[in-house]
Amino acid sequence: MKHIILPTDFSSNAENAANYTLQLNKFIKGELHLFHSYVIPVFATDVPITVPDITDLKEESLKLMNKLRTNLQKHNPDSFSEIHLSVSAGYPEEEIPSFSIKKKADLVVMGTKGVTGLKEVFFGTNTARVIGKLNCPLLVIPENAKFKGLKKIVFATNYAENDSENISEVIEFAKHFLAEVILLHVSSGDQSKPFEFNSLETFCQKLRESTGYDSLKYKLLDSADVEEGVNFYLDEIKADMIVMTNRHRSLFQKLFDKSMTKKMAYHTHIPLMVFHVKERGDYLQ
């Protein structure tokens, strides 16, 4: 991974994600780009007010970025990563994907703060809004996560299109840490257990042969609630990271079925890596 983007809104969870990435990058040795987008405020009022100048907003953003870079280097003295600074005017959910394309990013890393209930439905987070707009993987870092190495990486799979390609990319990532990669499939009960087990075993074996990675295992899990089952398994094996694939879905699906990946982005307590795939024939967004 040559280019890693670190978007920040100067919140504590964004800074925590940056600290996590600096420790992670001691193994990956990528080029780090700290990025911030600022929005010019619009006021609906009859009272004359002073609107911040775009030049002032840019200068203030760069001042905060330099301060953040100094803090990151202070708290990570053992990291020799050079941190480049970039700012732009615009909304984060638009500017982050645009900047990642410009830099040909291999990974975007963002922090998240878990929310539940109506807040999740109506407000969301910048992180969840960015999912689905990137051409590269997004690594979501929970607000209290600390880097302690990576020993077990779980890839939740449904044998869907592009899963093999994405798993191969995860394996290349895992090699930096000599981590075990576990393919997790949650059974819905629609098919027979022996059939699902054989399918997962065959899928795993083909990937071992194609990648040459021996530290690749699989797990078939029975659970009526997918999210609950995945979280239970992550806790049971003390996983260090969960990987999922996010797909564009039809308008009907979006209205009546919450995205599993976005739910995990809110609730996961360990880092979540998300690959985005646009399914063929899916044009209703």
Side-chain angles (χ1 to χ4, degrees):
M1 291 184 171
K2 295 181 180 179
H3 297 281
I4 302 172
I5 310 298
L6 288 168
T8 182
D9 57 1
F10 307 115
S11 62
S12 59
N13 53 301
E15 185 168 350
N16 179 65
N19 278 309
Y20 185 100
T21 305
L22 259 69
Q23 292 301 307
L24 183 83
N25 200 45
K26 288 193 295 183
F27 297 86
I28 299 175
K29 303 187 187 324
E31 191 172 289
L32 301 182
H33 300 267
L34 197 62
F35 176 76
H36 173 69
S37 62
Y38 51 92
V39 180
I40 302 173
V42 177
F43 300 97
T45 175
D46 295 328
V47 180
I49 58 174
T50 302
V51 179
D53 183 80
I54 188 170
T55 302
D56 294 336
L57 288 172
K58 183 176 181 179
E59 289 179 356
E60 180 63 22
S61 295
L62 284 171
K63 184 187 299 184
L64 292 171
M65 291 279 273
N66 275 292
K67 181 179 179 180
L68 176 57
R69 178 167 61 183
T70 299
N71 287 340
L72 291 172
Q73 292 170 334
K74 178 181 177 181
H75 289 99
N76 299 277
D78 55 343
S79 174
F80 300 97
S81 303
E82 183 179 0
I83 306 175
H84 304 279
L85 305 181
S86 296
V87 298
S88 72
Y91 292 98
E93 59 265 35
E94 301 298 334
E95 294 302 310
I96 293 170
S98 177
F99 184 72
S100 69
I101 292 172
K102 178 181 177 182
K103 290 298 180 181
K104 298 180 180 178
D106 299 292
L107 183 69
V108 173
V109 185
M110 295 181 70
T112 189
K113 185 172 184 178
V115 293
T116 57
L118 293 179
K119 288 184 179 180
E120 176 180 329
V121 176
F122 293 111
F123 296 103
T125 67
N126 284 335
T127 304
R129 285 194 289 267
V130 168
I131 292 176
K133 295 186 177 183
L134 294 173
N135 291 329
C136 65
L138 170 66
L139 181 58
V140 181
I141 309 297
E143 58 183 324
N144 296 316
K146 306 298 178 187
F147 181 78
K148 298 177 181 178
L150 296 177
K151 296 179 181 178
K152 295 181 180 181
I153 300 174
V154 175
F155 190 109
T157 179
N158 276 326
Y159 326 115
E161 184 182 356
N162 293 96
D163 267 9
S164 295
E165 179 184 337
N166 294 339
I167 292 168
S168 295
E169 193 168 336
V170 170
I171 286 173
E172 290 304 310
F173 174 80
K175 286 179 180 178
H176 293 288
F177 313 94
L178 302 179
E180 182 179 76
V181 177
I182 304 164
L183 306 182
L184 173 65
H185 178 68
V186 180
S187 174
S188 61
D190 293 337
Q191 297 175 320
S192 70
K193 190 74 173 287
F195 175 82
E196 288 196 292
F197 185 85
N198 289 334
S199 296
L200 185 57
E201 184 178 41
T202 301
F203 185 58
C204 183
Q205 184 57 38
K206 287 182 178 179
L207 283 165
R208 280 201 200 101
E209 293 171 359
S210 63
T211 63
Y213 199 63
D214 293 329
S215 297
L216 182 62
K217 298 183 178 179
Y218 60 91
K219 171 68 176 180
L220 180 63
L221 184 70
D222 287 316
S223 178
D225 186 305
V226 177
E227 183 184 1
E228 184 178 299
V230 170
N231 278 318
F232 174 81
Y233 182 71
L234 296 177
D235 288 338
E236 183 181 46
I237 68 167
K238 294 181 171 59
D240 301 296
M241 183 177 292
I242 172 73
V243 184
M244 304 180 76
T245 299
N246 182 62
R247 289 176 169 78
H248 278 158
R249 298 166 302 143
S250 70
L251 181 61
F252 179 85
Q253 287 174 305
K254 285 187 176 183
L255 286 173
F256 295 100
D257 178 34
K258 286 185 179 179
S259 165
M260 181 63 194
T261 306
K262 289 185 180 180
K263 285 179 69 178
M264 290 297 290
Y266 287 113
H267 301 304
T268 186
H269 53 286
I270 64 173
L272 163 68
M273 183 179 287
V274 182
F275 286 84
H276 177 70
V277 177
K278 183 176 181 179
E279 296 178 311
R280 295 175 182 173
D282 183 7
Y283 56 89
L284 282 174
Q285 302 305 324

